[in-house]
Amino acid sequence: MKIDFEKELNQQQYLAATSNAQYLRIVAGAGTGKTRTLTFRLAHLILRGDIDPRQIVAITFTNKAAKEMRERTVKLISSYDIEVPGLPLIMTFHSFCLLFLRRELVNHYTGFNQNFTIADEDDQKDYFKKIADEMKYTPSSTEFKEYINMVHHAKTEGKKVEDLVLDLDNPKNVYVKIFQRYQELLAEANQLDFDDILIFTKEILTKDEACRNFYQRRFKVFMIDEFQDTNNIQYDIVKKFMNEECELCVVGDPDQTIYTWRGANNDLIKNKLKRDFPSLETVTLDINYRSSQQILNIANKLIANNTDREEKNLKAFNNRQGEEVEVISNLSQDEEANFIARKIKSLHVHDDVKYSDIAIIYRSNFLSRSFEKAFPKFSIPYEIYGSKGFYQREEVKSGLAYLRILVNDADELSLLRVFKYPRRNIGEKTLDSLRQQASLKNKTLIKYIMEDYGQIEATNKVKENLTSLALAYNECFKIVSLDDVEPKKIVDSIAEYFKKVGLFEYFDKVDEENLSKGSTGDSKVDNLKELLNALKEYLNSSFQDDNLETPCSLIGFLLNVALLSDQDQLNQEDHVLLMTGHISKGLEFPYVFISGMVEGYFPSSHALEDSKHRAIQEERRLCYVMMTRAKKKLFLSYFGGRNFSNDLNLPSSFLKEAGFNLKPKISFYSTYKTDRSIYNQIDSLYSSINKNLDNFGYDPYYQNKPVKKINSPSRLVSSNVSNSQEVYNIGDKIAHVSYGVGEVISQNERFIEVDFKNEHGVKKLAKGFKAFKKVSK
DNA sequence: AATTTTGTGATTTTT
DNA sequence: TCACAAAATT
């Protein structure tokens, strides 16, 4: 049976799906049937018959999206009984590059071997911590954090250490040294980080012409979804993969770029693409099938405030007007949560709305807290979507560490984790000695322990521990490193390994303790078993034979897992979903509450500080994304009260921009007190307590519990008292809890800069922060 | 080595 | 405020 593209799609979608332009740009607004169009375009390309489907690469933003597109393509093709020799590669940039690197990395770089693994975020943190120690920085200091940021920044821009000048006269340049050391540590551990996956791919393709030619012939068509959130290296990589015969089709919406902080550059879709491919054709999709016109009007109105954008107005399919957008105002954050909970309960009970048809979307994670408190009171089932991934849990990470040392014997961080779960009494000193012994034998630490466990010099207890570890490891290693073992055998042997090293036993104990404490979290042992299950499934899945895929193996599993986030698909349970705006991208719900529409929360105070107005535009795009998630009814909610630095909460400027004129909510019965004398009272109380501490040894305000030391007035001073009333002038003296006394040298609306004239130097402090106060002029 | 106390500082997060 | 990490304590 043939697919009737014209019947299945609207005019715009039809054009986009069936265009034979070599270079095609589809500008697809929210809810305009982008995925549907893409799936049909894939089918169209497959049916066109001039290319093998396996020569098509479709790039998605997340693994979840890749999975969905794969499923929909298969479904479409099979529902029409179309026979195909294979399927397109549908994956993220990172997965695609990894596929490439597994074939090419060792040919181009010495220092890595075939068993390289990926350094995840925790690994990265550990490496930076190690560098801080080596270079005598405090890892948590703002200075060092700034350096780490600079390294990250350089990497997202695609820079390598060689590209940067190490100018040691410039103190800010220290980061280059940190960068260099970081790359050394990664190489020592035979690891790549996420950025390296892209950077190395680009470099190999740039330098090796033969290699480039090979892959240019291998792939004929590239499709990129969410192109508005693609960054420059990713774009460069695709261009390197293409010769003049290849086709490129990108899909995106410049108004939905929300990842510029990760390098996304929406100028690519807006201008660069046209410059690079002058014959580029563009199709615009602007008929929205998701939301009612009332919702779209609000969203359109808001996004129109962004300068530097092409005008585009989403129109609702069939001009469906729908219900009015409702603004909710409350006196405080907690009241907001209670109000919305009541509203949801009423929707559920009176209007028969399923909980799972309702979502609460907010700018920042911490805004979920008040709902977590409120929902149980109203017995509303809920889930926070996408916060903690399965593979981030401690027990799963530990299990993975045991697997990683099987594959990559240079991965010392994983070995350290193995030493900790369960505890094996190996501290710094023992570790140093072991490292020395290993280097004498010219072996990695893991190899040394596993092969020469009989000759290790250490205390008997440690020797015993390591021997049993090594025996279990070796038994498993023997099986895992064989070619052509059945998946079941591998998984069984790993289960045995987990058991023998005491991993199950250890987490069983943790489970028991948690249970006795009344926690209802899931069982860690079950999660470990789930990990083995995932491995089994992966090993069983047979890959298409497209001569690029390496066979499924433990290594493949580990690489895959590193690229996976929360793969939990939305389960079918009937509960309200809470999530951030970023995570809501691509989802839709009949009822959407946007909570925390408060200036400083959304747009965030960080964005408001950006004088170039770039950040605020991105926040606006984010808000646009959030609003356009709603199908039937959209609620916008703000609250009054005060934030943690005691400023008044005012309605978000986005509400006004979207056409609502609102008054701030201010309670007369605010907990805030302006009476400075209370502050002074508590202050003097505090000092008298401190003075008398030696005499009494008890704090009368803590029910006669013995008190060790009181040195932080910020903890004693109750929250409703603050120094935010203080007016500062240049030259004022400030006393700070941890920095001592300093002098105000400059100020703006929100911050003062204080020179403490000691090792702390100049600090930027938020006005109204309780850890300091004015002493005198 | 585990628990308590103190310090800190406060987006978004995929890969 | 509140959560988390680091430091201090037993």
Side-chain angles (χ1 to χ4, degrees), chain A residues 171-186:
Chain A
K172 277 204 167 156
N173 224 276
V174 180
Y175 88 94
V176 180
K177 220 169 157 185
I178 295 169
F179 189 178
Q180 185 176 26
R181 182 72 187 123
Y182 171 66
Q183 292 302 136
E184 263 171 37
L185 289 174
L186 282 174

Side-chain angles (χ1 to χ4, degrees), chain A residues 151-285:
Chain A
V151 174
H152 280 310
H153 195 77
K155 294 197 78 165
T156 38
E157 295 211 313
K159 295 217 173 74
K160 297 196 77 173
V161 184
E162 304 90 274
D163 302 330
L164 302 162
V165 196
L166 183 53
D167 168 18
L168 281 179
D169 292 335
N170 181 351
K172 277 204 167 156
N173 224 276
V174 180
Y175 88 94
V176 180
K177 220 169 157 185
I178 295 169
F179 189 178
Q180 185 176 26
R181 182 72 187 123
Y182 171 66
Q183 292 302 136
E184 263 171 37
L185 289 174
L186 282 174
E188 272 170 28
N190 195 25
Q191 284 186 318
L192 298 181
D193 70 11
F194 296 120
D195 297 317
D196 287 338
I197 295 173
L198 302 177
I199 294 170
F200 281 81
T201 300
K202 184 180 160 184
E203 195 174 60
I204 293 172
L205 287 169
T206 309
K207 287 189 177 160
D208 185 347
E209 198 189 338
C211 173
R212 192 167 64 236
N213 286 334
F214 174 82
Y215 288 96
Q216 285 177 351
R217 282 193 296 272
R218 174 67 182 72
F219 298 112
K220 289 279 160 256
V221 178
F222 287 88
M223 272 172 65
I224 310 173
D225 193 10
E226 307 279 14
F227 190 61
Q228 79 280 356
D229 278 320
T230 295
N231 67 33
N232 293 333
I233 328 170
Q234 293 169 334
Y235 178 60
D236 287 345
I237 287 172
V238 172
K239 281 201 293 182
K240 294 253 187 283
F241 270 111
M242 291 171 56
N243 61 19
E244 52 295 327
E245 276 157 31
C246 291
E247 289 178 39
L248 175 66
C249 163
V250 306
V251 188
D253 176 5
D255 286 336
Q256 293 191 66
T257 300
I258 53 175
Y259 283 98
T260 50
W261 46 277
R262 235 171 62 196
N265 175 8
N266 72 2
D267 193 54
L268 295 177
I269 190 169
K270 287 199 291 200
N271 303 308
K272 187 92 192 317
L273 202 62
K274 182 78 189 167
R275 261 181 269 139
D276 289 348
F277 303 99
S279 68
L280 181 78
E281 285 181 24
T282 300
V283 178
T284 305
L285 311 183

Side-chain angles (χ1 to χ4, degrees), chain A residues 46 53 77 82-87:
Chain A
I46 293 170
I77 289 175
I82 297 162
E83 279 210 23
V84 288
L87 285 172

Side-chain angles (χ1 to χ4, degrees), chain A residues 93 120 302 332 392 422 465 480 621 655 725 747 753 755:
Chain A
F93 271 112
D120 60 29
L302 174 79
S332 72
Q392 260 77 269
N465 279 335
V480 170
R621 288 192 295 266
L655 287 168
Q725 294 297 300
Q747 64 168 322
E753 265 193 323
D755 188 356

Side-chain angles (χ1 to χ4, degrees), chain A residues 591-606:
Chain A
Y591 294 83
V592 168
F593 292 84
I594 299 183
S595 131
M597 294 291 293
V598 173
E599 197 73 354
Y601 288 71
F602 194 19
S604 74
S605 47
H606 283 261

